[in-house]
């Protein structure tokens, strides 16, 4: 029996050397797998030797069995590490030889555009910022006091009627005038809030949404206004005229743009003036801003409302009208934008059509520099 045992163990040792060199010689994953099958597969060499264990006596079976199992594990480990080496080699080779073609042009990327309203607001901030105005804010939901009463609207004024103003349900937690909330019909309410909360002098502009119950080519129920307020000692109508003339000329970029101040009524100013700018009609039906050449009719269009702030308004905000005076002005931002950029229909501003925005919108790189120091 001991005679028999020796040869089997010798066979195992020999097989091990043989298999180790076969594994090392396998230089691709396929031939390595062939080796694995020929050794460990169903008809493999170790598997075949395992089958002979049944014919051995118990002691021999034990030692041979152990030796075979150890061999099996060792061979499996060798195959694993050879596999890893081959994979790494393959990857190294791919990295060294494969190239990525980066010359293919990228697909165009859709980039957003700045809405013309935002663009205009920034232009306005720039112009008034350069004149020393700072920006104030106020809420869209107002009460009767800030939107009407403090602004010297008489009790029966038509703007208080339901058809013009959007009223909200009454707020039961507040009394009287304050109970009746509404969507502000103009940004003049911000003048009031600013004067109530700050000491004069005042030099502010404010931008925001305003609401009136109206809808056609030139009216939408929501639109944007800009309001300006300048109150100090000794401010006169001459300051108003100078400031607004400079403003329209800067905004439209026409140095000699004719500007006309036409008497008008707003309850919160006295005197009040509407500001018109001059233009001429072109042959194609379009308009050209500026002074009419000899022989052509000078036309005028209204562009903003203005006036010297009414003493009652100042008093309502706790400001002494004998000490402080000044002017206010207000304008529709859509209208300024339509005129400058030739946008014909107001309603298109709010239809959220991306093709419209693509056409009329601005690249962010075209934005004016907002650093107005
Ligand atoms: N608030 C006025 C409007 O909405 C505009 C305006 C503002 C007029 C300030 C005069 C002074 O029409």
């Amino acid at each position: 029996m001991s005679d028999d045992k020796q040869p089997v163990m010798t066979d195992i040792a020999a097989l091990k050397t043989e298999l180790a060199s076969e594994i090392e010689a396998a230089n691709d994953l396929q031939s390595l797998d062939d080796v694995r099958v020929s050794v460990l597969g169903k008809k493999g060499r170790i598997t075949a030797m395992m089958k002979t264990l049944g014919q051995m006596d118990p002691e021999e079976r034990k030692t041979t069995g152990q030796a075979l199992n150890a061999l099996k594990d060792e061979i499996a480990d060798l195959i694993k590490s050879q596999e890893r080496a081959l994979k790494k080699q393959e990857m190294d080779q791919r990295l060294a030889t494969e190239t990525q073609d980066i010359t293919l042009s990228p697909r165009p990327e859709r980039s957003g555009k700045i809405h013309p309203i935002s663009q205009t607001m920034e232009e306005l901030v720039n112009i008034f910022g350069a004149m020393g105005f700072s920006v104030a804010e106020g809420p869209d939901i107002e009460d009767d006091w800030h939107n009407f009463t403090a602004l010297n609207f008489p009790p029966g004024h038509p703007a208080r009627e339901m058809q013009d103003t959007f009223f909200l349900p009454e707020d039961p937690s507040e009394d009287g005038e304050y109970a009746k909330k509404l969507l502000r019909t103009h940004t003049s309410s911000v003048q009031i809030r600013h004067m109530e909360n700050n000491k004069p002098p005042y030099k502010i502009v404010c931008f925001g949404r305003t609401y009136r119950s109206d809808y056609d080519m030139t009216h939408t129920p929501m639109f944007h206004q800009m309001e300006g307020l300048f109150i100090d000692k000794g401010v006169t109508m001459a300051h108003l005229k100078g400031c607004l003339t400079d403003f329209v000329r800067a905004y439209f970029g026409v140095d000699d743009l004719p500007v006309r101040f036409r008497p008008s009524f707003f309850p919160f100013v006295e005197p009040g003036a509407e500001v018109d700018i001059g233009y001429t009609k072109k042959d194609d039906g379009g308009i050209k801003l500026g002074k009419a050449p000899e022989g052509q009719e000078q036309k005028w269009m209204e562009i903003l409302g203005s006036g010297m702030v009414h003493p009652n308004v100042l008093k309502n905000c706790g400001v002494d009208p004998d000490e402080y005076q000044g002017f206010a002005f207000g304008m529709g931002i859509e209208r300024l934008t339509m005129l400058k950029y030739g946008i014909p229909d107001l309603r298109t501003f709010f239809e959220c059509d991306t093709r419209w925005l693509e056409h009329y919108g601005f690249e962010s790189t075209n934005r004016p520099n907002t650093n107005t120091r």
Side-chain angles (χ1 to χ4, degrees):
M1 194 169 37
S2 59
D3 284 353
D4 286 349
K5 199 157 74 181
Q6 248 351 82
V8 179
M9 294 309 272
T10 322
D11 284 353
I12 290 177
L15 183 60
K16 185 179 158 183
T17 331
E18 189 189 318
L19 292 179
S21 65
E22 272 181 43
I23 289 167
E24 206 183 332
N27 50 16
D28 58 59
L29 289 169
Q30 183 54 52
S31 33
L32 181 66
D33 199 53
D34 292 345
V35 177
R36 188 185 59 79
V37 172
S38 79
V39 184
L40 304 170
K42 260 197 203 144
K43 292 180 182 151
R45 282 167 279 175
I46 294 183
T47 320
M49 290 176 84
M50 290 282 201
K51 284 183 184 154
T52 64
L53 290 175
Q55 297 142 24
M56 296 178 187
D57 62 52
E59 177 144 351
E60 192 186 10
R61 187 188 302 148
K62 194 178 162 202
T63 45
T64 314
Q66 275 170 356
L68 279 175
N69 274 326
L71 175 66
K72 207 172 136 184
D73 289 347
E74 264 176 87
I75 295 302
D77 282 351
L78 281 179
I79 290 176
K80 267 253 159 57
S81 69
Q82 178 69 358
E83 187 183 323
R84 258 191 306 249
L86 286 175
K87 279 191 173 155
K88 181 176 180 311
Q89 192 181 313
E90 195 182 59
M91 181 58 84
D92 286 347
Q93 206 171 342
R94 277 182 62 186
L95 288 174
T97 55
E98 269 183 20
T99 51
Q100 191 83 198
D101 182 2
I102 54 165
T103 58
L104 187 67
S105 43
R107 283 201 234 132
E109 219 173 82
R110 272 184 60 132
S111 62
K113 290 271 179 94
I114 308 291
H115 195 283
I117 292 288
S118 309
Q119 173 81 9
T120 298
M121 292 204 281
E122 278 202 35
E123 292 174 16
L124 298 176
V125 167
N126 263 12
I127 296 171
F128 285 103
M131 294 193 213
F133 286 81
S134 52
V135 175
E137 284 183 346
D140 289 24
I141 296 177
E142 267 300 0
D143 49 47
D144 182 272
W145 169 258
H146 292 96
N147 197 80
F148 294 127
T149 307
L151 285 158
N152 201 35
F153 276 79
H157 196 280
R160 294 174 184 248
E161 299 291 314
M162 293 299 279
Q163 66 264 34
D164 289 317
T165 307
F166 292 108
F167 286 97
L168 275 69
E170 294 213 356
D171 181 351
S173 69
E174 302 212 46
D175 294 334
E177 272 179 346
Y178 291 97
K180 216 197 228 167
K181 294 282 194 288
L182 51 91
L183 295 176
R184 67 179 173 198
T185 58
H186 52 183
T187 41
S188 301
S189 51
V190 184
Q191 285 184 38
I192 302 301
R193 288 187 177 271
H194 186 75
M195 288 196 280
E196 283 175 342
N197 296 320
N198 297 277
K199 293 220 166 323
Y202 308 111
K203 199 170 186 186
I204 53 145
V205 284
C206 112
F207 299 87
R209 297 191 179 100
T210 47
Y211 307 84
R212 289 179 201 177
S213 182
D214 235 342
Y215 189 68
D216 59 36
M217 266 279 276
T218 53
H219 297 89
T220 48
M222 186 281 296
F223 59 104
H224 296 75
Q225 277 194 345
M226 194 204 91
E227 184 90 3
L229 176 72
F230 179 35
I231 305 284
D232 204 340
K233 290 176 181 168
V235 177
T236 71
M237 190 89 187
H239 295 111
L240 177 157
K241 290 180 80 174
C243 172
L244 295 180
T245 303
D246 280 357
F247 156 65
V248 287
R249 289 182 176 166
Y251 175 74
F252 289 107
V254 180
D255 288 344
D256 60 350
L257 184 65
V259 183
R260 182 172 84 172
F261 292 81
R262 186 168 34 78
S264 183
F265 176 77
F266 302 95
F268 36 93
V269 288
E270 183 57 40
E274 258 161 356
V275 182
D276 298 340
I277 53 174
Y279 70 97
T280 48
K281 272 231 147 68
K282 290 197 289 188
D283 291 341
D284 65 4
I287 63 161
K288 185 174 186 302
L289 293 180
K291 206 164 152 28
E294 277 285 311
Q296 241 184 294
E297 188 193 355
Q298 180 74 67
K299 299 228 172 230
W300 297 97
M301 76 171 95
E302 187 230 311
I303 195 85
L304 57 100
S306 68
M308 300 304 290
V309 176
H310 198 290
N312 288 350
V313 174
L314 295 172
K315 275 187 234 161
N316 286 338
C317 301
V319 178
D320 179 359
D322 291 329
E323 200 183 351
Y324 287 98
Q325 307 81 35
F327 61 88
F329 51 95
M331 62 193 90
I333 294 174
E334 283 78 0
R335 187 163 160 69
L336 288 177
T337 310
M338 289 165 79
L339 266 173
K340 182 163 172 176
Y341 298 111
I343 306 174
D345 188 338
L346 171 64
R347 292 169 294 196
T348 56
F349 277 79
F350 311 116
E351 280 169 358
C352 300
D353 185 335
T354 52
R355 291 165 305 177
W356 182 89
L357 193 59
E358 187 60 36
H359 182 80
Y360 287 112
F362 293 82
E363 299 291 345
S364 57
T365 48
N366 289 348
R367 301 191 92 173
N369 179 8
T370 46
N371 185 357
T372 52
R373 260 182 308 156

